[in-house]
Structures are given as structure tokens and as C-alpha cells.
Amino acid sequence: MKLNIFHTADEVLTALAAHIVEVANEAITARGKFSIALSGGSSPKKLYELLASPAFKDQVQWEKVYFFFGDERNVPHTSSESNYLMAQKALFDPLEIDRLNFFPVDTSLEPEAAAKNYFEEIEQFFDDEELSFDLVLLGLGDDTHTASLFPGTKALHDVTPGVSANYLADKDIYRITMNAPLINDARHIAFLVYGESKAEAVFNALEADEDIELYPAQLIDSIAGEVQWFLDESAAANLEEEY
Ligand code: 6PG
């Protein structure tokens, strides 16, 4: 595991964009394509805009990149809550990504069916290759959730790679999420976390006593690959150990 800590959020975003470009080009050279699972929420929007900006847009053969979603809200794709809509506006449209290169969760289906359907799409995409994303992007909630693996929820206990319809009782909603075994099979995992509101969650994820029910991000530990954290100093402020 590697921690990359920067002074400002913009420095974090630029470093992560460069990391994505590096991993993408490695994968395209090695396997002819790059598969990435995008994170949602508010933090990555600027990252996606940066990747589509003059600073980065010519550094990757985007026609060889395949975009999936680490998790999705159970809302229509037209909803402002939709992770797909956010990525479409910030990344797919500006880069004119071909419709065959991105895979939104079909939220018109019932949650369980949407989760099952999405995993089947992922299996089809990898076909007879190892089911291992080149890169999974993750965020971190103030409650130490990641993807839509929230404290005290059923999907935390999945033991085989898959996509789950995870019910959040406190919000009475479903989220569609890749589970930890699927995420941990990725070649590269990158957390994007900035802002002082995340300092406690970063400590809980990295240094608190193990308790995945309380701190689901503790579940993330790449099997064969690497996990990198891209943090600003305020998000890393509570860390005590040397990295
Ligand atoms: C989502 C995300 C989720 C997100 C965290 C952090 O769909 O909401 O995938 O895991 O990364 O909630 O969200 P912010 O970046 O908005 O703080």
C-alpha cells in the first residue's frame, strides 16, 4: 500500500490523473485495452474533468478504455444523483467516448436484477480472461464507507466476487455496488480522498482496530495488485504511522 499526500486538493487530483494515465498506458501496451471502474460522489467530478482537459486528454487512446461503475445509486440516469450522469457530463461527452466503451448500471431494473445484470455484463466483458479490472477508483465517505459498502450492511459479508444490491436501512434505499472480493481482484486500486471532513474516516480505514462492520473501507486490500491512496494533508491529518 502506498500513500501519496499532497498540500492541496488540486495537487491530489493532478497526481491521480497522471497515475491513471500511467496505468492506462501500461494496460493498453500489455493487453490492448484498459478497464476502469469509476467512483461516484462529489470528489471525482474534478478528476474526470481534468482527464478530459487539454492537460491530459491526448495522453491516452480513449478508444481502448472501457468504463464501468464501482457503485451506483438506484436512480434514473437522468437524476442529479446518478453517478453515470456525472461521469457522462464530466468525462464521456467531452472525450466523445463511444457508447460501446462505457457500461452504466441499468437502474431501470429492480435492484437485485440490476446487480445480477451488471455482474453478467462484467463477466461477458472479461469473457475467458481473468475477471480483474486494471484500475478501481474509490472514494471514502465520512462514515468510512467506500463504493456503496456502508457500515452494517449485507454486502460487507460477500465472500465471492460480485455486484450486490445493498439496502441502506437508515436511508431506506438500495445502492448497486461492486463487492470487496471483486474490487480486491483489481490490478490497481486508487482511493481519492481530500478535505478535513475525511480525516477521521481515513484514520479509521488505515489505523483503527479492525472492525469492517464499522469501517467498511478496511475490507479493501488488493489480492495481487496494489492499493494507493491519494490524499491531501487535511484528510491525512489524523494519521499517526509512518508510510
Ligand atoms: C457514491 C460513491 C461513494 C463516494 C463517497 C464519498 O456513489 O457516493 O461511490 O462511495 O465515493 O460517498 O463521496 P464524496 O466524494 O461525495 O465525499
Side-chain angles (χ1 to χ4, degrees), residues 3-239:
L3 262 62
N4 308 277
I5 303 175
F6 300 89
H7 190 55
T8 67
D10 284 346
E11 289 168 355
V12 175
L13 293 163
T14 302
L16 179 50
H19 176 63
I20 293 171
V21 166
E22 187 189 336
V23 173
N25 291 329
E26 256 173 38
I28 290 168
T29 304
R31 291 175 292 280
K33 65 176 189 283
F34 172 57
S35 56
I36 179 170
L38 300 175
S39 60
S42 57
S43 302
K45 184 167 178 284
K46 283 189 185 157
L47 171 70
Y48 302 156
E49 290 166 347
L50 189 57
L51 286 169
S53 74
F56 288 95
K57 69 182 176 66
D58 301 323
Q59 298 185 24
V60 175
Q61 299 168 73
W62 297 106
E63 68 278 11
K64 296 182 178 175
V65 179
Y66 296 87
F67 300 91
F68 290 81
F69 290 83
D71 69 322
E72 183 58 281
R73 292 88 181 270
N74 190 33
V75 295
H77 290 165
T78 51
S79 160
S80 59
E81 288 292 301
S82 167
N83 288 337
Y84 164 63
L85 186 65
M86 182 268 283
Q88 185 185 29
K89 289 183 176 167
L91 190 61
F92 303 157
D93 288 352
L95 289 173
E96 297 175 354
I97 301 291
D98 189 289
R99 179 62 191 84
L100 296 177
N101 285 58
F102 55 84
F103 300 78
V105 174
D106 184 353
T107 52
S108 70
L109 301 171
E110 287 304 309
E112 294 293 347
K116 182 170 177 293
N117 179 67
Y118 201 54
F119 190 56
E120 284 165 2
E121 272 196 84
I122 291 168
E123 288 180 313
Q124 239 165 32
F125 171 78
F126 285 103
D127 198 9
D128 53 10
E129 288 170 34
E130 194 195 348
L131 210 164
S132 173
F133 285 95
D134 292 306
L135 178 63
V136 174
L137 280 181
L138 294 172
L140 187 70
D142 298 3
D143 60 359
T144 323
H145 81 262
T146 190
S148 282
L149 301 170
F150 283 79
T153 57
K154 185 165 107 344
L156 301 183
H157 303 285
D158 290 1
V159 290
T160 55
V163 175
S164 290
N166 206 21
Y167 179 65
L168 313 185
D170 59 338
K171 299 185 179 80
D172 188 23
I173 58 165
Y174 276 91
R175 291 277 192 101
I176 312 301
T177 185
M178 292 184 182
N179 61 25
L182 177 58
I183 293 168
N184 288 340
D185 278 343
R187 291 184 179 85
H188 299 267
I189 297 171
F191 279 93
L192 169 62
V193 189
Y194 53 88
E196 62 184 333
S197 73
K198 300 293 172 77
E200 191 185 336
V202 170
F203 173 84
N204 293 335
L206 292 172
E207 296 183 359
D209 294 342
E210 186 173 334
D211 188 335
I212 59 137
E213 281 290 331
L214 268 184
Y215 311 133
Q218 290 181 347
L219 282 167
I220 304 305
D221 184 14
S222 180
I223 307 292
E226 55 140 36
V227 180
Q228 293 207 33
W229 288 70
F230 290 81
L231 305 161
D232 66 354
E233 284 164 0
S234 52
N238 293 3
L239 295 177

